[in-house]
Amino acid sequence: MKISDALRQKADYIWQRILNHPFVIELYQGTLPIEKFKFYVLQDYNYLVGLTRTLTIIASKSNFDLMRKVLKLAQEEANTELANYERLLEELGLTIEDAIKEEPSPTNYAYMNFMNLTAFLGTPYEGLATIMPCFWSYMEIARHHEKLLKSNENSLYVNWAEVYLSKEYIELVEDLKELLNKASEAEFHRLESVFKRASKYEYMFWDMTYRMERWPI
Amino acid sequence: MKISDALRQKADYIWQRILNHPFVIELYQGTLPIEKFKFYVLQDYNYLVGLTRTLTIIASKSNFDLMRKVLKLAQEEANTELANYERLLEELGLTIEDAIKEEPSPTNYAYMNFMNLTAFLGTPYEGLATIMPCFWSYMEIARHHEKLLKSNENSLYVNWAEVYLSKEYIELVEDLKELLNKASEAEFHRLESVFKRASKYEYMFWDMTYRMERWPI
Amino acid sequence: MKISDALRQKADYIWQRILNHPFVIELYQGTLPIEKFKFYVLQDYNYLVGLTRTLTIIASKSNFDLMRKVLKLAQEEANTELANYERLLEELGLTIEDAIKEEPSPTNYAYMNFMNLTAFLGTPYEGLATIMPCFWSYMEIARHHEKLLKSNENSLYVNWAEVYLSKEYIELVEDLKELLNKASEAEFHRLESVFKRASKYEYMFWDMTYRMERWPI
Amino acid sequence: MKISDALRQKADYIWQRILNHPFVIELYQGTLPIEKFKFYVLQDYNYLVGLTRTLTIIASKSNFDLMRKVLKLAQEEANTELANYERLLEELGLTIEDAIKEEPSPTNYAYMNFMNLTAFLGTPYEGLATIMPCFWSYMEIARHHEKLLKSNENSLYVNWAEVYLSKEYIELVEDLKELLNKASEAEFHRLESVFKRASKYEYMFWDMTYRMERWPI
């Protein structure tokens, strides 16, 4: 079995919880309160900045071939992806300044620090394993709930979700899997630990955004 | 005003919450349920391992004079301090293996990752500012609640607390302040942000241990 | 005075030696033996890979605004610039595989390790100061020796040199200076030390390639 | 075969050159000009500072068990070993300030930057492989040339050399080997590359000190 598939299998019990989280279901049904979606978008903008940092750390420790590929991804995140966010923010009556001013919630901050520290301390593959669950689970969520979109009357949510069903997005996820599959089998135990931790944070991210989590102090 | 005093002042609203947290008060009164204290000790052991890592990262980025001082601290943490923990664990009917097996709670893990990542990304002084609130607030807590110890009938808690009133511990905190006070004034804004974040985590640590926090998945 | 200009001034005695190194003069005159140029191109390819790594390390420690700009540069280096090298290698009867197989000489390896380690240990601005002398001095060399190109009968050398007189290249250098000029004045002493060290390595790079330096063992 | 022995074997052609370098032979014979020895001691002091930094970087990336052992080594280097140097400097009519002021030569600086960068980019075992050749070859040199010491009339050199024949030093080297031997076999190819590079730098260090190398600019 490919490393990526084996990791996905080990984390399945977590991914089932992700697929069925109320935030996800209400978003695909179109019933999610807009305030929760706004909160999500502001938090996720900050998460993408953190994820771009993770990519630069991974690149800095990679051989030139991997560095080039990861740099391309980082460049896309820092430009295309975040530019999409600027459009989405506008549609929500928000600005990029609102997103920059938004303080990452405790769970969001913990997730980003975990990704970045793991990338600093470990191999490039451990770094890649921290960012995989986010990219990959978005695709799987979209496929799993695709039918719900047909009766979803909130065009904002539908437009948002359809990105993750696009050919481009699927290719991106497949490219990432391919990079990760070049890891050595000797690393598997460590990659599993990292991939599961990131999957748990992915679940906790949906949950904190549903609760609109703030710092207790 | 010295940098350390200015930082302490900026974070005072957080420190007041720390001094008055029920875990702290019940511990100094002797009324804290032993299960909560056991949970605290197991979590704190893991925190000290994380803090020792922070010290090694700070050392790795310091000039030789500062490196030597930070190394001495790290060596003390990794040996003396953690040896004390082994004794304490034994008195609680726990072993070092229990402590190693204990999974750091979400808040504990987030706190450690914040410290280590900040130390990697920033200057040695930013690293020192992440570890100061822990060392320093333990001394301040002990002074603030010293009187409570007189009527505290739990000798385990009293012995634990008296360490933080000892001459050696006070010297350690003063040494750390002195190191931090050598930072450049130009860094103050950044140090304030780090010191406050670490103070918030210190508050959240007491709170998570009072709640005996576990991973939601 | 702007930080970049002040740094340039402090390093002037080194830059005079760069401008007048026989490798540089013979290259602009067209009299440089082709074997030395081939050696240079193979070594420089490896240097550019190392410099791209430096950019990723700088990006990983920068705020998002600087990260984005540095990522754009890194992406350009990893693609456009190195693609130019592939064309140049072909014109010299060499392949990209030859370049990858070429072992960086001791001076080249020392220069790259200095850049990358400085970027890891210091601020993003210290990182930028390690890469500035290379970019900037190539522009200054081209301007200083522009007249020599008129009587240079080696079209390969002329084509190579004219890149550094192009509007695009000048803009790139000006952009880099602007990034560096946002450093805090409090950092100047440290930036000076780094900028001079990088300038010395720049001089030593021309000298090692003129000598076609190899490992003594 | 143990990893350390396999690495030693792969680097044997380099170690033969180390054992027979004129600096080493003249030192053990007692005929080395004192000026060269003074130069060596000043450079080596700076090297040990760099090596202590390498140990802190290795520690920062290790699990707690390895971190503790590496920290102990770093602490010994930063204190005992460098204290020995202070005594030696005094006997040579030099001070610790002379050593601190001494600029590391190009080869020394390149060696240290290689060690520190490798430790940042790679696994803890790659870090350990950068420092092994120094510790280990000093022991092997001492054993190989032990007989020469009997007719060596320079007591300063004899005292210096006898440290590397002591029980404590041999234990230190054996401890280091044991740490390295815990690396995974999957890492061997990478460790070999690092160990050979460090061995080459070890040879080049003796050679640069024999030439009393200075920066060309």
Side-chain angles (χ1 to χ4, degrees):
Chain A
M1 200 188 300
K2 283 180 183 169
I3 284 178
S4 56
D5 292 326
L7 292 172
R8 170 66 187 79
Q9 201 172 71
K10 293 278 189 184
D12 189 60
Y13 72 102
I14 307 165
W15 286 46
Q16 292 308 323
R17 295 281 299 274
I18 292 172
L19 292 171
N20 294 303
H21 193 279
F23 189 99
V24 170
I25 291 176
E26 295 175 21
L27 181 57
Y28 274 77
Q29 286 176 332
T31 56
L32 185 75
I34 192 72
E35 285 315 308
K36 294 200 179 188
F37 188 68
K38 281 187 184 174
F39 182 80
Y40 165 77
V41 169
L42 292 170
Q43 288 292 323
D44 202 45
Y45 179 89
N46 283 278
Y47 173 80
L48 289 176
V49 171
L51 184 143
T52 307
R53 189 180 303 283
T54 311
L55 289 168
T56 64
I57 301 168
I58 296 169
S60 77
K61 304 177 82 178
S62 299
N63 63 36
F64 189 53
D65 185 46
L66 183 53
M67 192 197 290
R68 249 170 145 154
K69 286 167 183 160
V70 175
L71 260 179
K72 198 163 150 284
L73 260 173
Q75 176 72 354
E76 280 167 15
E77 283 298 317
N79 294 291
T80 328
E81 188 76 7
L82 284 161
N84 284 342
Y85 258 81
E86 295 181 24
R87 251 198 311 281
L88 183 57
L89 286 164
E90 206 183 332
E91 286 171 17
L92 289 163
L94 298 166
T95 65
I96 194 78
E97 283 70 32
D98 293 325
I100 290 166
K101 267 193 312 198
E102 177 83 2
E103 187 181 29
S105 76
T107 299
N108 191 1
Y109 191 62
Y111 190 0
M112 294 189 285
N113 286 349
F114 152 74
M115 296 193 305
N116 285 316
L117 184 65
T118 302
F120 262 123
L121 292 176
T123 68
Y125 297 103
E126 289 176 47
L128 287 171
T130 70
I131 61 164
M132 272 307 289
C134 173
F135 284 103
W136 191 353
S137 70
Y138 272 57
M139 182 179 87
E140 205 164 304
I141 287 170
R143 286 178 176 178
H144 192 78
H145 295 303
E146 191 175 356
K147 283 182 196 158
L148 293 178
L149 292 180
K150 286 177 189 144
S151 50
N152 183 330
E153 295 179 347
N154 188 326
S155 66
L156 203 69
Y157 296 177
V158 174
N159 292 340
W160 176 88
E162 282 179 342
V163 168
Y164 305 107
L165 291 163
S166 71
K167 197 165 150 277
E168 291 74 20
Y169 192 77
I170 294 165
E171 272 174 22
L172 169 64
V173 174
E174 294 305 322
D175 286 353
L176 269 171
K177 282 194 217 172
E178 215 176 295
L179 293 183
L180 191 54
N181 286 334
K182 284 180 185 140
S184 128
E185 283 291 339
E187 278 200 74
F188 186 79
H189 185 67
R190 190 63 204 128
L191 294 179
E192 180 191 336
S193 157
V194 167
F195 189 87
K196 278 158 96 173
R197 179 67 71 207
S199 297
K200 288 180 184 183
Y201 272 125
E202 201 50 41
Y203 168 78
M204 289 161 74
F205 191 94
W206 291 117
D207 198 60
M208 82 71 192
T209 192
Y210 198 63
R211 290 182 287 109
M212 298 179 74
E213 182 190 61
R214 295 287 178 201
W215 288 82
I217 187 164
Chain B
M1 198 189 301
K2 282 180 184 167
I3 284 178
S4 56
D5 292 328
L7 292 173
R8 171 65 188 81
Q9 200 172 73
K10 292 277 188 184
D12 189 60
Y13 72 102
I14 307 163
W15 287 46
Q16 292 308 323
R17 296 280 298 276
I18 293 172
L19 292 172
N20 294 303
H21 193 280
F23 189 101
V24 170
I25 291 176
E26 295 175 21
L27 181 57
Y28 275 77
Q29 285 176 332
T31 57
L32 185 75
I34 191 72
E35 285 314 307
K36 295 200 178 188
F37 188 67
K38 281 186 185 175
F39 182 80
Y40 165 78
V41 170
L42 292 170
Q43 287 292 324
D44 202 45
Y45 179 89
N46 283 278
Y47 173 80
L48 290 176
V49 171
L51 184 143
T52 307
R53 189 179 304 281
T54 311
L55 289 168
T56 64
I57 301 169
I58 297 170
S60 78
K61 304 177 82 179
S62 299
N63 63 37
F64 189 54
D65 184 46
L66 183 54
M67 191 197 291
R68 251 173 144 152
K69 286 167 184 158
V70 175
L71 261 178
K72 199 163 152 285
L73 259 173
Q75 175 72 354
E76 280 167 14
E77 282 298 316
N79 292 292
T80 329
E81 188 77 6
L82 283 161
N84 285 341
Y85 257 81
E86 295 180 25
R87 250 197 314 279
L88 183 56
L89 286 164
E90 206 183 332
E91 287 172 16
L92 289 163
L94 297 165
T95 65
I96 195 77
E97 284 70 33
D98 294 323
I100 290 165
K101 267 193 312 195
E102 176 83 2
E103 187 180 30
S105 75
T107 299
N108 190 2
Y109 192 61
Y111 189 179
M112 294 189 285
N113 286 348
F114 152 75
M115 295 193 304
N116 285 316
L117 184 64
T118 302
F120 262 123
L121 292 175
T123 67
Y125 296 104
E126 289 177 47
L128 287 171
T130 70
I131 60 165
M132 272 308 290
C134 174
F135 283 104
W136 191 353
S137 71
Y138 272 57
M139 182 179 89
E140 204 163 303
I141 287 169
R143 286 178 176 175
H144 191 78
H145 294 303
E146 191 175 356
K147 282 182 196 158
L148 293 179
L149 293 180
K150 285 177 190 142
S151 50
N152 183 329
E153 293 179 350
N154 188 326
S155 65
L156 203 69
Y157 295 177
V158 174
N159 292 341
W160 176 89
E162 281 178 342
V163 168
Y164 304 107
L165 290 164
S166 71
K167 197 163 151 279
E168 291 74 22
Y169 192 77
I170 293 165
E171 271 173 22
L172 170 65
V173 174
E174 294 305 323
D175 287 352
L176 268 171
K177 283 194 216 173
E178 214 176 297
L179 293 183
L180 190 55
N181 287 333
K182 282 179 186 142
S184 127
E185 284 290 341
E187 277 200 74
F188 186 78
H189 185 68
R190 188 67 202 124
L191 294 178
E192 180 190 337
S193 158
V194 168
F195 189 86
K196 279 158 94 173
R197 179 68 71 208
S199 297
K200 287 179 185 185
Y201 272 125
E202 201 50 41
Y203 169 78
M204 290 160 74
F205 191 94
W206 292 117
D207 198 58
M208 83 70 193
T209 192
Y210 198 63
R211 290 181 288 109
M212 298 179 74
E213 182 191 61
R214 294 287 179 200
W215 287 82
I217 186 163
Chain C
M1 198 188 303
K2 284 180 184 167
I3 284 178
S4 56
D5 292 327
L7 291 172
R8 170 67 187 79
Q9 200 172 71
K10 292 279 188 183
D12 189 60
Y13 72 102
I14 307 164
W15 286 46
Q16 292 309 322
R17 296 281 298 275
I18 293 172
L19 292 170
N20 294 303
H21 192 281
F23 189 100
V24 170
I25 291 174
E26 293 176 22
L27 181 58
Y28 274 79
Q29 285 175 334
T31 57
L32 184 75
I34 191 70
E35 286 314 308
K36 295 199 178 189
F37 188 68
K38 281 186 183 175
F39 182 81
Y40 164 79
V41 170
L42 293 170
Q43 288 291 324
D44 202 44
Y45 179 89
N46 283 278
Y47 173 80
L48 289 177
V49 171
L51 183 143
T52 306
R53 189 179 303 283
T54 311
L55 289 168
T56 64
I57 301 168
I58 296 170
S60 77
K61 305 176 82 180
S62 299
N63 62 38
F64 189 54
D65 183 48
L66 184 54
M67 191 197 290
R68 250 172 143 152
K69 287 168 182 157
V70 174
L71 261 178
K72 198 162 153 283
L73 259 173
Q75 175 73 351
E76 280 167 15
E77 282 298 317
N79 292 292
T80 329
E81 188 76 6
L82 284 161
N84 284 341
Y85 257 81
E86 294 180 25
R87 252 198 312 281
L88 184 57
L89 286 164
E90 206 184 332
E91 287 172 18
L92 289 163
L94 297 165
T95 64
I96 195 78
E97 284 70 34
D98 293 325
I100 290 164
K101 267 192 314 196
E102 178 83 2
E103 186 179 33
S105 75
T107 299
N108 191 2
Y109 192 63
Y111 189 179
M112 293 188 286
N113 287 347
F114 151 75
M115 296 194 303
N116 285 316
L117 184 65
T118 302
F120 263 123
L121 293 177
T123 68
Y125 296 104
E126 288 176 49
L128 287 171
T130 70
I131 61 165
M132 272 307 291
C134 173
F135 284 103
W136 190 353
S137 71
Y138 272 58
M139 181 179 87
E140 204 163 303
I141 287 169
R143 285 177 176 177
H144 191 79
H145 293 304
E146 190 175 355
K147 282 184 196 155
L148 292 178
L149 293 180
K150 287 179 187 138
S151 51
N152 183 330
E153 294 179 349
N154 188 326
S155 64
L156 203 68
Y157 296 177
V158 174
N159 292 341
W160 176 89
E162 281 177 343
V163 168
Y164 305 106
L165 291 164
S166 70
K167 195 164 150 282
E168 291 74 23
Y169 192 77
I170 293 165
E171 272 173 21
L172 169 65
V173 174
E174 294 305 322
D175 286 352
L176 267 171
K177 282 193 216 172
E178 215 176 295
L179 293 183
L180 191 54
N181 286 334
K182 283 180 187 140
S184 126
E185 284 291 340
E187 278 201 73
F188 185 78
H189 185 67
R190 188 67 201 124
L191 294 178
E192 180 190 336
S193 158
V194 168
F195 189 87
K196 279 157 95 171
R197 180 67 71 207
S199 297
K200 287 179 186 183
Y201 272 125
E202 201 50 41
Y203 169 79
M204 289 161 73
F205 191 96
W206 291 118
D207 198 59
M208 82 73 191
T209 192
Y210 198 64
R211 289 181 288 107
M212 296 178 76
E213 182 191 61
R214 293 288 178 200
W215 287 84
I217 186 164
Chain D
M1 198 188 303
K2 283 180 184 166
I3 284 179
S4 57
D5 291 328
L7 292 173
R8 170 67 187 81
Q9 200 172 72
K10 292 278 188 183
D12 189 60
Y13 72 101
I14 307 165
W15 287 47
Q16 292 308 322
R17 296 280 298 275
I18 292 171
L19 292 171
N20 294 303
H21 192 280
F23 189 100
V24 170
I25 292 175
E26 294 176 21
L27 181 58
Y28 274 78
Q29 286 176 332
T31 56
L32 183 75
I34 192 69
E35 285 314 308
K36 295 199 179 190
F37 188 67
K38 281 186 184 175
F39 182 81
Y40 165 79
V41 170
L42 292 170
Q43 288 292 323
D44 202 45
Y45 179 89
N46 283 279
Y47 173 81
L48 289 177
V49 170
L51 183 143
T52 307
R53 188 180 303 284
T54 311
L55 289 168
T56 64
I57 301 169
I58 296 169
S60 77
K61 304 177 82 180
S62 299
N63 62 38
F64 189 53
D65 184 47
L66 184 53
M67 191 196 290
R68 248 171 145 153
K69 285 168 183 158
V70 175
L71 262 178
K72 198 163 152 282
L73 259 173
Q75 175 73 352
E76 280 167 16
E77 281 299 315
N79 292 291
T80 328
E81 187 77 5
L82 284 161
N84 284 341
Y85 257 81
E86 294 180 26
R87 251 196 315 279
L88 183 56
L89 286 164
E90 206 184 333
E91 286 172 18
L92 289 162
L94 297 165
T95 64
I96 194 77
E97 283 71 32
D98 293 326
I100 290 166
K101 268 193 314 197
E102 178 83 3
E103 186 179 32
S105 76
T107 299
N108 190 2
Y109 191 62
Y111 190 179
M112 293 189 285
N113 286 347
F114 152 74
M115 295 193 304
N116 285 315
L117 185 64
T118 302
F120 263 123
L121 293 177
T123 67
Y125 297 104
E126 289 177 48
L128 286 171
T130 70
I131 62 165
M132 272 307 291
C134 173
F135 283 103
W136 190 353
S137 71
Y138 272 56
M139 182 180 86
E140 205 163 302
I141 287 169
R143 284 177 176 176
H144 191 79
H145 294 303
E146 190 175 356
K147 282 185 196 156
L148 292 178
L149 292 180
K150 289 184 184 134
S151 51
N152 183 329
E153 294 179 347
N154 188 325
S155 65
L156 202 69
Y157 296 176
V158 174
N159 292 341
W160 176 89
E162 282 178 342
V163 168
Y164 305 107
L165 291 164
S166 70
K167 198 165 150 279
E168 290 75 21
Y169 192 77
I170 293 165
E171 273 173 20
L172 169 65
V173 174
E174 295 305 323
D175 286 352
L176 268 170
K177 281 193 217 173
E178 214 175 297
L179 294 183
L180 191 54
N181 287 334
K182 284 180 186 140
S184 127
E185 283 291 340
E187 279 201 75
F188 186 78
H189 185 68
R190 187 69 201 123
L191 294 179
E192 179 190 337
S193 158
V194 167
F195 189 87
K196 278 157 94 173
R197 179 69 70 207
S199 296
K200 287 180 185 183
Y201 272 125
E202 201 51 40
Y203 168 79
M204 289 162 74
F205 191 95
W206 291 118
D207 198 59
M208 85 68 194
T209 194
Y210 197 65
R211 290 181 287 108
M212 296 177 77
E213 182 191 59
R214 294 289 179 200
W215 287 83
I217 186 164

